[in-house]
C-alpha cells in the first residue's frame, strides 16, 4: 500500500483526477471501476474540468460502478445511477451504453450479479478501481463479515452504514439492501485507489492500514493487493502511527 497524505480533500481530488485522466489519455479504451458517496466528488469535479479544457475523450471508456441500492427506482434522486450521471457522466462525452451498474431492482438478483461479473470479465477486467471507505471500513457495500466475499452479491446493510447514509433520504426511508461487487472482484482490479477524508474515517483507516487482514475490516484486504494507492487528508490520517 502506498499512502499519500494531503492537507485537504480538494488537493486529493486534483491528484486522483490526474491519475484517471492520464489513464484515459494513454489508454482511451480503459475500464474504470467507480464509486459513489461524498468522498469522490472533488475527484469527479477535477476530471470534468480537465475534460472541459479539451484534448481528452471518454468515448472509448467503459465504467462499472461498485454498487446500487435495491428497491429504489433507477430514476430516484438517491440511486447511484442518478448520482453518477449528475456528478460525472452528464458532463463528459462518455457513451451511455458504456456506463454500467448493477440493477438493484432485478427480479433475480443472483442472475443479475452473475451477468455483471461476466460483463466485467468480458470487458477485460477493471484497469483502475476507485474506492471510498465506510466508517466501519466497508468497501463498495462489503460490510464486516466472517469471510471475504467473492463476486457480486446482495447484501443487507448494517446499522452503521444505514446511519451514515440515511441523511440523504429525506422523503422515503433508506433501502436496507444493496447489490455490490464482491471483495475478490475488487481485488482483481489492476490498480486500486482508495480515498478517505474527514475525522469519521480515521479509525477505519488505521484498522485498514495497520491492523490485521480480516473480513471484519473489509478494506484491510487491500494490504494484499500489489498496486494500491491510498489518499488521505490529515484528519483521516490522524490515528496512524
Ligand atoms: C457508501 C458507498 C461506498 C462509499 C461509502 C462512504 O456506503 N457504497 O462506496 O465509499 O458510502 O461514503 P462517503 O464517501 O459519503 O463517506
Amino acid at each position: 500500500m502506498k499512502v499519500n497524505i494531503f492537507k485537504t480533500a480538494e488537493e486529493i481530488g486534483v491528484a486522483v483526477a490526474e491519475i484517471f485522466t492520464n489513464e484515459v489519455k494513454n489508454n482511451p479504451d480503459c475500464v474504470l471501476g467507480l464509486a459513489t458517496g461524498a468522498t469522490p466528488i472533488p475527484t469527479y469535479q477535477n476530471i470534468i474540468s480537465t475534460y472541459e479544457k479539451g484534448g481528452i475523450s471518454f468515448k472509448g471508456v467503459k465504467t462499472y460502478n461498485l454498487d446500487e441500492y435495491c428497491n429504489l427506482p433507477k430514476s430516484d434522486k438517491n440511486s447511484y445511477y442518478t448520482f453518477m450521471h449528475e456528478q460525472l457522466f452528464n458532463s463528459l462525452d462518455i457513451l451511455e451504453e458504456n456506463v454500467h451498474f448493477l440493477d438493484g431492482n432485478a427480479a433475480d438478483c443472483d442472475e443479475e450479479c452473475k451477468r455483471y461479473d461476466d460483463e466485467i470479465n468480458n470487458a477485460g477486467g477493471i484497469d483502475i478501481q476507485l474506492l471510498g471507505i465506510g466508517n466501519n471500513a466497508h468497501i463498495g457495500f462489503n460490510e464486516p463479515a466472517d469471510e471475504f466475499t467473492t463476486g457480486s452479491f446482495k447484501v443487507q446493510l448494517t446499522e452503521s452504514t444505514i446511519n451514515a447514509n440515511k441523511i440523504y433520504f429525506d422523503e422515503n426511508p433508506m433501502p436496507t439492501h444493496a447489490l455490490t461487487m464482491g471483495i475478490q472482484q475488487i481485488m482483481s482490479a489492476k490498480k486500486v485507489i482508495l480515498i478517505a477524508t474527514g475525522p469519521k474515517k480515521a479509525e477505519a483507516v488505521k484498522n485498514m492500514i495497520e491492523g490485521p487482514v480480516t473480513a471484519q475490516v473489509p478494506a484491510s484486504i487491500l494490504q494484499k493487493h500489489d498496486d494500491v494507492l491510498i489518499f488521505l487528508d490529515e484528519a483521516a490520517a490522524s490515528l496512524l502511527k
Side-chain angles (χ1 to χ4, degrees):
M1 280 178 159
K2 189 168 178 301
V3 180
N4 303 285
I5 302 174
F6 286 74
K7 262 207 149 39
T8 64
E10 180 49 37
E11 287 170 64
I12 295 174
V14 173
V16 175
E18 198 180 329
I19 298 175
F20 276 95
T21 52
N22 282 341
E23 175 74 16
V24 173
K25 276 178 200 155
N26 296 331
N27 180 11
D29 299 327
C30 61
V31 180
L32 303 178
L34 298 179
T36 52
T39 308
I41 291 178
T43 297
Y44 293 155
Q45 287 171 343
N46 282 288
I47 290 175
I48 293 168
S49 42
T50 301
Y51 167 73
E52 285 172 346
K53 285 181 196 131
I56 177 171
S57 170
F58 286 77
K59 280 189 178 148
V61 174
K62 287 197 179 92
T63 67
Y64 289 87
N65 259 80
L66 276 169
D67 44 19
E68 182 58 281
Y69 289 116
C70 290
N71 303 319
L72 191 68
K74 201 169 152 182
S75 58
D76 190 279
K77 71 175 167 64
N78 282 308
S79 77
Y80 286 163
Y81 174 89
T82 300
F83 175 95
M84 288 306 303
H85 282 80
E86 286 177 350
Q87 298 297 333
L88 186 66
F89 300 147
N90 290 349
S91 303
L92 304 175
D93 64 349
I94 196 159
L95 303 178
E96 182 60 26
E97 70 249 36
N98 286 344
V99 305
H100 304 277
F101 290 84
L102 281 153
D103 177 2
N105 297 301
D108 184 337
C109 290
D110 289 344
E111 202 178 281
E112 169 59 10
C113 288
K114 190 178 177 311
R115 175 199 69 78
Y116 201 62
D117 295 353
D118 288 348
E119 236 190 82
I120 294 174
N121 288 337
N122 293 339
I126 288 171
D127 293 305
I128 308 183
Q129 175 65 58
L130 182 61
L131 298 175
I133 186 170
N135 297 344
N136 61 2
H138 73 244
I139 49 178
F141 267 135
N142 288 272
E143 299 280 30
D146 292 337
E147 284 179 6
F148 287 113
T149 56
T150 52
S152 298
F153 67 105
K154 181 173 182 174
V155 62
Q156 175 162 13
L157 303 176
T158 60
E159 214 179 311
S160 153
T161 299
I162 293 177
N163 283 336
N165 289 3
K166 72 179 181 197
I167 48 164
Y168 300 111
F169 291 82
D170 42 6
E171 288 152 21
N172 301 314
M174 182 179 150
T176 54
H177 291 76
L179 300 188
T180 181
M181 282 188 201
I183 291 285
Q184 210 179 77
Q185 206 171 11
I186 292 171
M187 288 293 282
S188 61
K190 289 162 200 132
K191 183 186 201 73
V192 176
I193 297 178
L194 183 143
I195 308 175
T197 50
K200 285 189 190 151
K201 304 292 170 68
E203 198 184 331
V205 164
K206 182 183 170 54
N207 293 338
M208 162 178 72
I209 296 173
E210 294 176 352
V213 175
T214 160
Q216 291 297 330
V217 179
S220 65
I221 192 75
L222 298 174
Q223 292 176 26
K224 295 196 175 289
H225 193 290
D226 58 16
D227 188 1
V228 177
L229 299 177
I230 310 278
F231 286 84
L232 307 174
D233 68 358
E234 289 180 346
S238 61
L239 297 178
L240 291 178
K241 281 203 194 96

